[in-house]
Amino acid sequence: MPDVAVVGSCMIDLITYSSRLPKPGETLLGLKFEKGFGGKGANQCVTAARLGASTVLVSSLGSDSNGQEYLKKLEEENINTAHIKTQENIHTGVAQITVTSSGENSIIIVQGSNLCLSGENVIEAKKHICSSKVLLCQFEVPLLATLEALRVYQGHGTSIVNGAPAVNNVDPDILRLADIFCVNETEAELMTGMKDLSISTAQQAVDKFFSLGCNTIIITFGAQGAIHASSKNKTAIHTPSETVKAVDTTGAGDAFLGALAYYISNHPGLSLQECIKRSNKIAAQSVTKLGTQTSFPSRKELPSELF
Ligand code: ADP
């Protein structure tokens, strides 16, 4: 019986480092190349697993070498891969990332096999999904798969939807079915139409999210931490993050969400604010290291008071 079921994406990150971005039509000599494991679904699942949650990932890989490598990696992370489908004749999702010496980046995502994740795949995984204490979804797989997961899971535990990458018009059923809806500042601005959203104007955004049909809402604000408001009193409460020396904030949101799923499933006695406080600490820890999954801490690296 898993603590956390994630229905989401797996992407291989192909990261090229260069002095600058190429102009249209230009070929540049790069400085360095790295291949990494990414995709919001897998990232969040890996975080929860490293903190000690038993996890199952419902996802879709291609039948290429990237897909085979990813499956092996997920098994090494102790993630249940029984519901990872290998799709024939399609490549594993890739994110082609260019990072310049000045820290600028450009990213092209080709979803590939992630687009094959279907409602049927979710139904096949129903037993695992419904026996989990937390269901975690994002917006990198087809909407129908996410909706099916939220529908079958209703009444079985806490569902969390991370509204990322940013979407303009989120299906109202998603907002209604998610017990917790979590976005970052930029995603919140797009969804609410607010400009220059800040902690001090967060109540306005929260009110808008409630009018859209959300239950509990969380907005993350990078180094400033997160605000949340529950459907009960609808008041935005700020939980600051840790002050750390940030070296790479890629994947901070995924570390936060994976940690949140861990705390809600494994520490049912904690208040939501305490779960957020501890998730801030896990995410803050991740920004002190380079990379995405490589920066997510495991339980043995963390102070015992977090558990
Ligand atoms: P995303 O990665 O989706 O853009 P954020 O940048 O809002 O998400 O970061 C998510 C969480 O990661 C924050 O709520 C905070 O807990 C933590 N975090 C991000 N950047 C920093 C930072 N520079 N210092 C400390 N914590 C950070």
Side-chain angles (χ1 to χ4, degrees):
M1 291 236 248
D3 297 323
V4 178
V6 180
V7 175
S9 61
C10 290
M11 304 265 184
I12 290 285
D13 293 341
L14 305 170
I15 314 160
T16 302
Y17 296 87
S18 65
S19 54
R20 59 176 173 81
L21 296 177
K23 296 192 181 105
E26 186 184 14
T27 300
L28 270 185
L29 276 182
L31 304 171
K32 198 172 76 165
F33 172 76
E34 265 167 23
K35 190 162 143 179
F37 297 100
K40 290 180 188 297
N43 289 347
Q44 296 178 15
C45 196
V46 165
T47 305
R50 285 191 190 164
L51 293 176
S54 57
T55 56
V56 59
L57 178 60
V58 181
S59 192
S60 179
L61 292 167
S63 53
D64 49 10
S65 56
N66 280 339
Q68 288 160 14
E69 278 173 41
Y70 216 138
L71 194 59
K72 196 165 156 263
K73 168 73 182 163
L74 294 169
E75 279 159 4
E76 283 166 12
E77 295 285 349
N78 293 318
I79 290 168
N80 182 334
T81 58
H83 295 288
I84 302 216
K85 288 271 161 200
T86 299
Q87 310 284 348
E88 295 302 322
N89 303 321
I90 189 150
H91 66 84
T92 300
V94 286
Q96 191 179 298
I97 306 168
T98 308
V99 182
T100 71
S101 308
S102 64
E104 233 186 331
N105 67 37
S106 76
I107 304 174
I108 300 178
I109 287 177
V110 191
Q111 286 166 290
S113 53
N114 290 297
L115 292 176
C116 299
L117 193 72
S118 66
E120 266 171 40
N121 297 148
V122 169
I123 296 294
E124 281 163 22
K126 188 175 168 181
K127 220 173 84 195
H128 273 111
I129 293 175
C130 292
S131 60
S132 300
K133 294 173 192 141
V134 169
L135 167 69
L136 186 52
C137 304
Q138 315 75 23
F139 290 164
E140 276 183 347
V141 295
L143 175 68
L144 284 177
T146 307
L147 266 176
E148 193 65 58
L150 289 167
R151 284 196 189 114
V152 302
Y153 189 68
Q154 251 190 308
H156 287 90
T158 306
S159 58
I160 307 175
V161 173
N162 173 212
V167 173
N168 211 340
N169 291 308
V170 177
D171 188 303
D173 279 348
I174 297 260
L175 302 180
R176 185 179 55 79
L177 287 165
D179 295 314
I180 299 176
F181 187 71
C182 179
V183 283
N184 69 16
E185 203 176 333
T186 321
E187 291 143 6
E189 282 182 350
L190 186 77
M191 282 186 69
T192 59
M194 282 175 71
K195 284 201 184 89
D196 305 322
L197 177 61
S198 64
I199 304 278
S200 59
T201 58
Q203 183 65 51
Q204 230 178 299
V206 160
D207 292 342
K208 176 74 185 175
F209 277 111
F210 286 128
S211 75
L212 292 172
C214 285
N215 296 297
T216 292
I217 172 85
I218 300 178
I219 307 175
T220 61
F221 282 88
Q224 293 180 82
I227 66 101
H228 78 280
S230 73
S231 45
K232 269 195 205 137
N233 68 13
K234 297 189 163 57
T235 306
I237 298 165
H238 179 210
T239 310
S241 191
E242 297 280 288
T243 305
V244 292
K245 192 173 180 299
V247 298
D248 183 355
T249 61
T250 322
D254 292 337
F256 178 88
L257 265 301
L260 187 68
Y262 163 78
Y263 283 116
I264 291 176
S265 61
N266 275 255
H267 297 268
L270 295 180
S271 66
L272 180 59
Q273 185 165 18
E274 183 60 26
C275 291
I276 291 173
K277 189 174 161 197
R278 295 185 189 195
S279 302
N280 276 341
K281 289 188 186 210
I282 304 294
Q285 180 83 13
S286 82
V287 307
T288 63
K289 283 195 187 156
L290 284 176
T292 307
Q293 287 184 16
T294 47
S295 74
F296 299 158
S298 58
R299 201 178 171 112
K300 61 180 185 305
E301 300 168 68
L302 294 159
S304 57
E305 62 262 26
L306 284 176
F307 299 98

